[in-house]
Amino acid sequence: MITSFCHNFCLRSPVLPAAPPNIRLRTPSVVADAGKLFSSITSSSSEENTMPPTDTIDDEPQVKESVIRLMTRLAMQYNAVNLSQGFPNEPPPTKVKLALAQAVLSGKDEGLLQNNHCDITEEELTDSIIKLLTNNSSEDIVTDELNQYSPPMGRADTRKAVSEYYSRLYNYIVSEDDITLTLGATEAVATALRTVGRPGDKVVVFEPFHELYSSQCEIFYLNPAYVTLRPNEEKNDWNYDTDELKDAIQGAKAIILNTPHNPTGKCFDRNELKQIVDLCLEEEDCYIITDEIYEHMTYPDDNGTPRKHLLIPEVFPEAAHRTLVCNSLGKSASATGWRLGWCLHPPALSSLYRGVHDQLVAMAPHPMQYASLAYLNLPTEYFRETLSSRYIHRIRKLADALRSIGFGVILPEGSYYLFVNFESVEELKGLSPKDAAMYLLKEVGVASVPGDNFYGKSDDGKQYLRFAACRSDTDIDNAILRLKEKLHPVIM
């Protein structure tokens, strides 16, 4: 059903032109073969770990199951500490959880989250929930709004709250008419690609990258052009080659920019963003699609100076008409299961973006839209102080432990991942990334992600693994104990 939908949507969307005659459209094949991914290193043949093979032909898009999410499943199977998938295992803020419970139970907008900019207290929300749970009268339950469809673009009050969020935190003014609430940042990016891209168009992607970027390009018949970030161990950061970027952007329809970056933790600085903006504006019609889900997780530089996330349409207003900002509350609210995101799109693209979004997913979950009013109106300190400090201790202690057993570590400037080189770990040297990840999983009891999963052009990932330091302190400490017990640095 999904395959048929994607095929029909790409071929027959009434608002987009047909593919050019030199582009051969293909029916996507969703390859869900976990066993094949690690066939050389896993021996289990359980149904949970091995899916039946799917016949493919040479020109089919290679869209496969997420390796990151596969590693989470394998972590459960092998009872390993899950440092693979980047989701917290700690709860959202209490007020945000209560807001969702109140929305689902009441089913209607009672104004509790809107009075005086959400100044309602946790105690008042709790009292409202208790009243709803203890009131057995059916007379008060006449209609239900919040558990039903919302307008496709999202509730007006929530879109207004997103607008006020950017005004408060970035001094950036954006109309709620140019904001669409999405099914997480994943759908926000997908809809952005489908809005600006046509089959055969080139899309620039920095590698290493999150696997969804290349897969979404495949689904929509777009051609990714990769620009490789490479480690500079002397400066403790990751850099790209300017000439490689210039060549890639030439003739491109879009560039996907994830900053703070997953998996390296790079925060693109003002000069780098200026270069990217200028190169895109030199092109006739090249858009910047940003993925900003780690915007508040930025860490001080070596001099202790705080890093600040830079919002492209605010810092570079000349590029606002070419920029689509994709974001989500999933990481910042520790609510990755809510699937509530948004996109700020240029006015000229608003109608088309919303049309694509409507036909893809219809809407974001309505109760979460309403409850997100509580999140979007959390105190400024939560975004500027709490989130910027929440993970830094976990990152540093995991980094120290990994260094002590031979991993090459560059501390991230933002996000909450460690993308590390394992060539100097005695037990892992000479292994492929998948072999190394499976060794850690089965022999050590710690789940990571193979580094080559994040590359599309170069083989730079062949000695890398990614660890997510967003899990609880207990999980991080448990993982460190297991790693130190089973792994040792290469003796030179």
Side-chain angles (χ1 to χ4, degrees), residues 446-465:
V446 176
S448 60
V449 182
D452 55 358
N453 183 56
F454 302 94
Y455 287 83
K457 179 180 70 173
S458 76
D459 62 357
D460 286 17
K462 65 184 180 181
Q463 295 173 331
Y464 279 84
L465 295 170

Side-chain angles (χ1 to χ4, degrees), residues 250-433:
Q250 188 172 8
K253 190 67 175 182
I255 181 171
I256 299 175
L257 182 63
N258 173 216
T259 181
H261 185 256
N262 173 14
T264 67
K266 176 180 176 63
C267 291
F268 287 77
D269 64 29
R270 183 180 293 265
N271 290 335
E272 291 169 328
L273 294 179
K274 173 64 172 171
Q275 182 178 61
I276 291 168
V277 164
D278 288 346
L279 289 172
C280 288
L281 292 179
E282 288 175 7
E283 296 297 313
E284 181 179 353
D285 206 21
C286 183
Y287 290 89
I288 303 167
I289 300 172
T290 69
D291 181 350
E292 309 196 359
I293 60 175
Y294 305 104
E295 61 179 325
H296 301 301
M297 299 164 199
T298 57
Y299 311 122
D301 63 20
D302 292 339
N303 298 319
T305 304
R307 285 189 176 88
K308 180 182 177 182
H309 177 68
L310 301 176
L311 182 70
I312 285 181
E314 188 274 322
V315 179
F316 306 103
E318 68 273 18
H321 69 294
R322 293 273 194 92
T323 305
L324 297 92
V325 176
C326 301
N327 209 333
S328 160
L329 60 69
K331 311 292 187 178
S332 295
S334 297
T336 56
W338 282 31
R339 310 312 300 144
L340 197 288
W342 57 84
C343 180
L344 317 183
H345 31 70
L349 294 179
S350 291
S351 179
L352 179 54
Y353 187 96
R354 287 178 168 181
V356 175
H357 159 77
D358 186 0
Q359 298 304 320
L360 276 177
V361 301
M363 53 169 242
H366 195 172
M368 282 72 171
Q369 292 184 42
Y370 187 72
S372 68
L373 290 167
Y375 163 78
L376 292 163
N377 286 287
L378 287 172
T380 300
E381 291 73 23
Y382 176 81
F383 302 105
R384 290 188 174 164
E385 298 175 14
T386 300
L387 289 175
S388 64
S389 60
R390 172 173 290 172
Y391 299 108
I392 187 65
H393 172 67
R394 303 178 209 185
I395 290 169
R396 287 174 176 167
K397 70 177 176 180
L398 180 58
D400 289 343
L402 291 171
R403 283 197 187 102
S404 72
I405 51 180
F407 285 95
V409 179
I410 291 179
L411 279 175
E413 299 169 340
S415 74
Y416 46 47
Y417 301 101
L418 289 168
F419 197 56
V420 298
N421 190 309
F422 63 81
E423 63 181 335
S424 294
V425 178
E426 180 64 38
E427 291 79 4
L428 304 181
K429 65 178 182 180
L431 297 181
S432 72

